[in-house]
Amino acid sequence: MKSCETNSTESIISYMPEETAPPRTNGELDFQEPWERLSFGMALAMYEEKKLSSWEDFRSRLIQQIAVWEKENEGKKDNPDWNYYEQWIKALERLVVETGMIHKRDVDSRTNEFLAGNRDEVFY
C-alpha cells in the first residue's frame, strides 16, 4: 500500500473545495437521512484507518460522480432530484470496488438483499 496522508479528517472536510464540499446549515454538516451520515462516516473512517492511500482517491471519484450527475441533469444542482450524498455513496462504492476492497457482485447482492427486505437496516 502507498504511504498515507496524515491530514486530519476535520481539516480535510473543512477545506474541501466548494464543488465537492458537503452541505451545511449554519456551518454544521447537514444530513437529511441516517444513511447520509453513515456513508459520510464510512469514507472518513476508511481514510482514518488508512484504507485509502490519500483523500484524493475518494475526492477525485466524488468530483467525477458529481460531473456525471450534472451532465445527465443539464448541470442543474437546484434540481429537486439532486442529493449530494447519493453522489458521495456512488463515489465511495466506486472506490471500494476499483481498489479491490470489495467485489461489485457483493455490493449488488447486499443491495438486492436490502431492497427485498432480507437485510435489516443497521444504525449505530
Side-chain angles (χ1 to χ4, degrees):
M1 178 181 275
K2 302 175 190 171
S3 63
C4 295
E5 294 176 346
T6 58
N7 295 332
S8 73
T9 53
E10 186 175 314
S11 68
I12 286 172
I13 298 305
S14 296
Y15 297 106
M16 284 180 79
E18 185 178 343
E19 68 270 11
T20 59
R24 293 181 181 269
T25 300
N26 296 325
E28 298 293 322
L29 292 172
D30 186 14
F31 302 102
Q32 300 299 310
E33 300 289 337
W35 70 265
E36 295 173 347
R37 182 180 306 278
L38 289 171
S39 65
F40 182 81
M42 282 190 294
L44 296 183
M46 289 173 61
Y47 177 76
E48 288 176 350
E49 294 294 319
K50 301 192 181 346
K51 303 294 183 192
L52 312 179
S53 59
S54 74
W55 184 251
E56 185 60 27
D57 287 347
F58 173 73
R59 191 180 80 84
S60 63
R61 287 171 176 85
L62 179 58
I63 290 168
Q64 291 169 358
Q65 192 59 49
I66 290 170
V68 166
W69 189 93
E70 288 176 335
K71 184 176 180 183
E72 290 173 353
N73 292 277
E74 302 173 15
K76 297 179 183 174
K77 280 191 184 177
D78 58 346
N79 181 322
D81 293 332
W82 166 253
N83 182 302
Y84 173 84
Y85 291 105
E86 285 181 14
Q87 310 322 306
W88 181 281
I89 196 74
K90 288 176 183 178
L92 184 59
E93 180 181 324
R94 279 189 51 214
L95 174 75
V96 299
V97 168
E98 290 173 359
T99 58
M101 289 183 217
I102 190 169
H103 196 279
K104 176 76 168 124
R105 72 174 171 268
D106 294 328
V107 173
D108 293 343
S109 174
R110 291 175 185 160
T111 300
N112 290 334
E113 288 172 2
F114 178 77
L115 293 173
N118 299 327
R119 196 169 188 86
D120 293 332
E121 292 184 54
V122 179
F123 298 110
Y124 297 94

